[in-house]
Amino acid sequence: FPSNDEKVKALLSFHKTALVDPKWTMVGCGEGDERRLLEEFPKCHSVYAALPEASRRVICDITQRMGTGMAEFVDKDLGQGTVDITQYNRYCHFVAGLVGEGLSRLFAVSGLEQSSLATELHLSDQMGLFLQKTNIIRDYLEDYVDGRAFWPQSVWKKYSSTGDLGYFANPTTDETRLAGLNCLNELVTDALELAPDCLAYLSKLRCAEVFRFCAIPQVMAIATLDKCYHNGDVFTGVVKIRKGMSCLLINNTTDILGVHGIFHRFAKSIMDKAKSARKGGYEDPSCERTMKACQAIIDLTEPEARMAKKQASVVNGTITVVSCAAAGMVLHKPPKNNSVLFSTTMVVASIGMLSFMKMGLTKLMGGRFMASLLPASKLTKN
């Protein structure tokens, strides 16, 4: 943009231009996929125009409010982060909390969820803030280098002896390293305190597809917070959960039982890290607050976590038995002419059988928790 005024003008009018004109496009703005999205926006408009009127009203309203919120931050110098927790929360609300509200309203008007979900503004907002704060915490270095940081100054300035956010990016001394961990742990704790509201929101959903759509990012976030907590690597690179863990989380996020089990696991992990650090002589100003936040999550998820653990034991035990049987079949003397083909076929067949059995046992044991979730096909009128 030639000036910030032009950028503000585009943001404030976006809902009246891009969502109204089917040929609207913007060339030369952003990079990568973002740039392509704006340049090929007519494709998005064609989908938007095909939606029911009620859905279009929700999208238009959220777009207008989000554009207004983003415009508020255009002239702000974010090289050293947001000013305080209030501004930090406000920014997260505009870029993520409103998305949560918009989705809740869309779920409601579509008939997939009860109409009352549209009124859960606070819980919807907290869902968005939980995800956004997790990303901001994880992306410290990348955002700082880009000159658009979001860590609140009212937090990090308590720990930076130079008064600069980049102080933590060069942990050459124990003092710097410990200061960075103190700051990081406080921000992780701030995000963890949103978890109970996120779980409350998920418990109100009835559509299986909507549940997974909402829950999978939430379990990824709690796992990422666990990875970031007391981890100095946040200041020297990007911390990410492993792909294998991501797959495991996705597979286990089928109902509230699985979600509670995951939140319980990572809340306990963070609490154990805090206890271990304190036992080792590390003095964390946020330790008690962290323990309290973790305990709140553990208390909320304890019953389902025990059930999930019991379910996993039975399912895995059964799978072990079948695995041994399958292995025995493979090791049995195969036909002379097709030994490789025979072995490969048996392995593939056994994997398929195991997956089917695990799905059946999990559904059987978790039936009482899954009963409230229905497929979208049974909730829509058409």
Side-chain angles (χ1 to χ4, degrees), residues 1-169:
F1 289 91
S3 68
N4 281 348
D5 288 341
E6 288 296 317
K7 184 182 292 187
V8 169
K9 182 179 178 181
L11 287 168
L12 295 178
S13 63
F14 190 84
H15 68 289
K16 294 185 293 186
T17 54
L19 297 185
V20 174
D21 182 2
K23 296 182 180 180
W24 182 92
T25 185
M26 182 175 288
V27 179
C29 181
E31 299 178 357
D33 291 335
E34 294 176 356
R35 185 188 188 106
R36 182 183 175 191
L37 173 65
L38 292 172
E39 292 179 350
E40 300 182 18
F41 199 80
K43 296 178 181 179
C44 296
H45 187 279
S46 64
V47 176
Y48 169 76
L51 294 172
E53 182 181 353
S55 296
R56 294 200 305 273
R57 282 199 302 267
V58 172
I59 294 173
C60 183
D61 176 55
I62 294 298
T63 301
Q64 178 182 6
R65 291 161 59 193
M66 186 178 292
T68 301
M70 290 181 174
E72 180 182 312
F73 283 83
V74 168
D75 285 321
K76 296 187 185 300
D77 181 4
L78 294 174
Q80 293 293 311
T82 50
V83 174
D84 51 27
I85 288 291
T86 299
Q87 190 180 76
Y88 178 48
N89 289 338
R90 186 169 178 80
Y91 173 79
C92 291
H93 165 72
F94 285 134
V95 301
L98 285 176
V99 175
E101 178 188 330
L103 287 171
S104 293
R105 290 166 59 187
L106 286 172
F107 297 151
V109 298
S110 69
L112 293 175
E113 297 295 342
Q114 297 178 345
S115 58
S116 60
L117 189 67
T119 65
E120 296 289 353
L121 303 184
H122 175 71
L123 296 184
S124 301
D125 186 67
Q126 299 298 81
M127 287 273 288
L129 262 64
F130 186 62
L131 301 182
Q132 187 64 27
K133 287 188 174 184
T134 298
N135 290 339
I136 287 174
I137 292 168
R138 181 197 63 197
D139 296 339
Y140 158 82
L141 186 61
E142 179 182 347
D143 290 341
Y144 176 71
V145 171
D146 287 344
R148 291 275 293 176
F150 305 97
W151 282 29
Q153 296 177 30
S154 61
V155 174
W156 67 256
K157 280 188 175 181
K158 293 187 294 184
Y159 307 104
S160 173
S161 63
T162 63
D164 189 278
L165 180 58
Y167 172 74
F168 311 113

Side-chain angles (χ1 to χ4, degrees), residues 181-379:
L181 292 177
N182 285 341
C183 181
L184 173 63
N185 292 349
E186 181 172 340
L187 289 176
V188 169
T189 300
D190 172 70
L192 283 173
E193 290 171 341
L194 301 173
D197 282 339
C198 296
L199 293 173
Y201 179 92
L202 294 174
S203 70
K204 295 178 180 295
L205 302 178
R206 65 177 184 177
C207 175
E209 291 88 343
V210 168
F211 179 87
R212 282 177 59 80
F213 176 83
C214 294
I216 289 175
Q218 298 293 317
V219 299
M220 295 294 184
I222 189 74
T224 301
L225 289 177
D226 173 58
K227 190 78 172 178
C228 289
Y229 183 79
H230 206 66
N231 186 352
D233 291 344
V234 170
F235 302 109
T236 57
V238 178
V239 174
K240 294 183 179 180
I241 55 178
R242 298 175 68 87
K243 291 183 179 180
M245 174 59 71
S246 296
C247 292
L248 180 65
L249 296 177
I250 291 172
N251 286 338
N252 289 343
T253 307
T254 56
D255 54 23
I256 201 66
L257 172 69
V259 170
H260 277 214
I262 292 169
F263 269 73
H264 184 278
R265 168 186 175 178
F266 289 114
K268 190 175 185 306
S269 175
I270 294 173
M271 178 179 278
D272 289 344
K273 290 178 185 178
K275 289 180 179 179
S276 177
R278 184 168 62 179
K279 187 176 181 180
Y282 172 72
E283 296 182 4
D284 182 358
S286 303
C287 184
E288 292 302 322
R289 184 180 165 194
T290 303
M291 304 274 272
K292 183 178 179 181
C294 289
Q295 191 60 55
I297 298 172
I298 291 171
D299 290 343
L300 281 172
T301 58
E302 186 73 40
E304 288 81 359
R306 285 200 301 266
M307 176 61 71
K309 186 175 182 180
K310 178 180 178 182
Q311 170 184 303
S313 297
V314 175
V315 171
N316 292 336
T318 305
I319 287 176
T320 300
V321 173
V322 177
S323 297
C324 292
M329 295 176 68
V330 172
L331 293 174
H332 187 269
K333 186 177 180 180
K336 295 181 179 180
N337 297 331
N338 296 295
S339 58
V340 175
L341 177 61
F342 176 81
S343 298
T344 302
T345 302
M346 289 307 302
V347 170
V348 172
S350 64
I351 291 174
M353 182 168 59
L354 293 176
S355 299
F356 181 79
M357 178 169 288
K358 183 173 183 179
M359 184 185 302
L361 285 171
T362 301
K363 186 171 182 179
L364 177 64
M365 296 191 65
R368 68 186 186 91
F369 293 96
M370 298 177 64
S372 59
L373 293 178
L374 297 173
S377 59
K378 292 187 177 181
L379 294 168

